[in-house]
Amino acid sequence: MNATPSGPAAWRAIAAGASASFVGIGLARFAYTPLLPELINAHWFSPSAVAYLGAANLAGYLLGALAARRVARRLGDRRALRWMMVLATVGLLACSVPVSVVWFFAWRLVSGVAGGVIMVRVAGAVLPHLRGERRGLAGGAIFAGLGLGIAASGTLVPLLLTAGLSSTWIGLAALCALLTVLSWNGWFTPRASAAATPSGAAPRGGESAGSPRLALLLVQYALISMGLVPAMSFLADFVSRGLDRGSGSGAMVWIVYGLGALVGPTLYGLLGDRLGFARALLLIILVQTGALTTLAFVHDLPEVAVLSAVIGSFPPGVVPVVLGRVHELVPARAEEQSAAWGKATVAGALSLAVSAYLYSYVFDLTGQNHRVLFLIGGGALALALLTGLATRFVHSGGDHTVHVTAPERVTTAG
């Protein structure tokens, strides 16, 4: 790979990618969870409306994932990612004024669109242009930005809430604006990107984009995404109102969830490198199924906190593992891998959006029973586990799963 960017330019691009995932998903999506009980207590919206408004971001995420390749073709990855960070920032700022449910819904939707585009394009905008030995570290750093955003939302929101709910949204928007400005010139230039993009032939083996194993992986990822929603959307409210522990305890548990999110990408990526991504994915889903199902039956705050740390590692941590599995199944050409990852992201985003509205409906139907939601999520993860096991009995669409060298195996994003 000739003319590969290195040194400060590479690290600036990695930092820009981490900032994008921090802004577009870490804060724009996950900051809503610890704010959910306060939106209700401050009488901005009713409990049922708050649940549906949370789902709006996931619907936007689906739209963004579907539009990501078209947006990148029109603007290029560099400009697309810059302006999606701007869009997410404006969306947070607009939420500081509760004009109406429609207004709030529209801006939550817009912030979701920005997050969907970022999720599809950010890794591919950075990783193919780095030396092989840097790609594993870069992938972990990018998705650690997502986990850091979750942790920051739990830490910052309680502090900002002392100044009021509107000020909290403004403060989050200000942080996003700062990161957007600082990362503005960090992305690789189109000239450097073109010089660094590999154009060699794909290795032997691998599977076509329509292979049965890849199709089952998409189904599995959709079921995983369905299992993510209950804790991701309702955990803080479960502790605050469901267990009647108050918003302070809800925020504390969300911080613990965020700490789990910080270690998830690195821990799960290492597990995938050691066991292979197919086996690692099965093990992770098994653990998460048990944790989410157990959450439906516990009452004591320490038990909830421990489970929250385990469950929190899952949303950002499963991403590099699924990406690693895509890289195992698809020939190692950047464009084909990007297309396959785009399909996986759309499958996950569609599941997130549909599931969010399903959970909101069930939440309202059951008199705001959080435990039912956790059980449904556990059931979805159990089905994801069965789907992964079924994959082992499906014949490959090609000769064999791609076997790559160690530096490439740790490429968990792209």
Side-chain angles (χ1 to χ4, degrees):
M1 190 181 296
N2 298 324
T4 305
S6 60
W11 286 110
R12 282 196 300 270
I14 293 168
S19 296
S21 67
F22 181 95
V23 170
I25 305 172
L27 284 186
R29 179 193 297 175
F30 288 100
Y32 186 82
T33 300
L35 281 170
L36 193 151
E38 292 304 317
L39 292 170
I40 297 171
N41 294 335
H43 304 292
W44 277 28
F45 306 108
S46 68
S48 59
V50 165
Y52 283 106
L53 288 171
N57 181 266
L58 298 180
Y61 180 73
L62 171 61
L63 295 176
L66 287 168
R69 295 188 73 187
R70 181 175 298 179
V71 171
R73 279 198 299 268
R74 284 181 174 271
L75 301 178
D77 281 333
R78 190 174 186 232
R79 284 195 293 171
L81 291 165
R82 283 172 170 174
W83 289 110
M84 289 305 106
M85 292 177 72
V86 171
L87 198 61
T89 301
V90 173
L92 288 170
L93 183 61
C95 287
S96 66
V97 185
V99 176
S100 66
V101 172
V102 174
W103 168 272
F104 213 85
F105 179 93
W107 285 108
R108 292 302 295 159
L109 187 77
V110 164
S111 66
V113 170
V117 174
I118 288 171
M119 188 64 161
V120 173
R121 303 307 304 183
V122 65
V126 177
L127 298 183
H129 315 304
L130 300 176
R131 291 191 177 95
E133 65 270 16
R134 291 181 178 268
R135 292 185 183 178
L137 176 61
I142 289 170
F143 291 109
L146 194 163
L148 183 61
I150 298 173
S153 70
T155 306
L156 291 175
V157 166
L159 295 176
L160 292 172
L161 279 171
T162 60
L165 196 51
S166 292
S167 297
T168 300
W169 287 106
I170 294 171
L172 293 173
L175 176 58
C176 291
L178 177 63
L179 288 173
T180 300
V181 171
L182 292 176
S183 64
W184 193 265
N185 292 320
W187 303 100
F188 290 128
T189 63
R191 180 177 298 178
S193 298
T197 301
S199 58
R204 291 182 304 161
E207 306 196 9
S208 67
S211 72
R213 286 185 178 182
L214 185 59
L216 281 174
L217 179 63
L218 301 186
V219 173
Q220 188 179 25
Y221 195 37
L223 289 167
I224 289 170
S225 298
M226 184 178 182
L228 297 178
V229 174
M232 189 172 69
S233 300
F234 296 97
L235 178 61
D237 191 55
F238 169 62
V239 174
S240 177
R241 298 193 307 123
L243 296 180
D244 198 25
R245 298 302 182 99
S247 59
S249 294
M252 183 274 292
V253 167
W254 187 250
I255 292 172
V256 175
Y257 181 97
L259 293 176
L262 280 176
V263 302
T266 302
L267 178 63
Y268 289 5
L270 177 62
L271 193 64
D273 190 45
R274 295 290 179 87
L275 300 181
F277 291 104
R279 290 181 179 178
L281 192 56
L282 290 176
L283 178 59
I284 292 165
I285 296 171
L286 178 63
V287 172
Q288 292 296 328
T289 302
L292 188 58
T293 303
T294 303
L295 186 63
F297 297 98
V298 298
H299 295 83
D300 294 333
L301 200 58
E303 295 174 339
V304 173
V306 171
L307 291 170
S308 298
V310 175
I311 295 168
S313 68
F314 198 37
V318 75
V319 175
V321 178
V322 173
L323 282 166
R325 183 59 180 151
V326 168
H327 281 202
E328 286 182 339
L329 293 175
V330 178
R333 281 196 293 263
E335 186 58 31
E336 292 184 18
Q337 289 179 339
S338 178
W341 169 236
K343 290 180 180 179
T345 304
V346 168
L350 177 61
S351 178
L352 284 172
V354 173
S355 299
Y357 285 103
L358 172 64
Y359 285 120
S360 298
Y361 173 75
V362 173
F363 187 62
D364 195 32
L365 187 67
T366 60
Q368 302 175 34
N369 190 326
H370 301 84
R371 298 181 188 278
V372 172
L373 306 185
F374 298 147
L375 287 174
I376 295 173
L381 292 179
L383 289 175
L385 183 64
L386 292 175
T387 303
L389 291 172
T391 305
R392 302 172 69 89
F393 300 98
V394 174
H395 291 294
S396 169
D399 297 328
H400 299 284
T401 297
V402 177
H403 296 286
V404 291
T405 59
E408 293 295 320
R409 280 290 302 277
V410 298
T411 304
T412 57

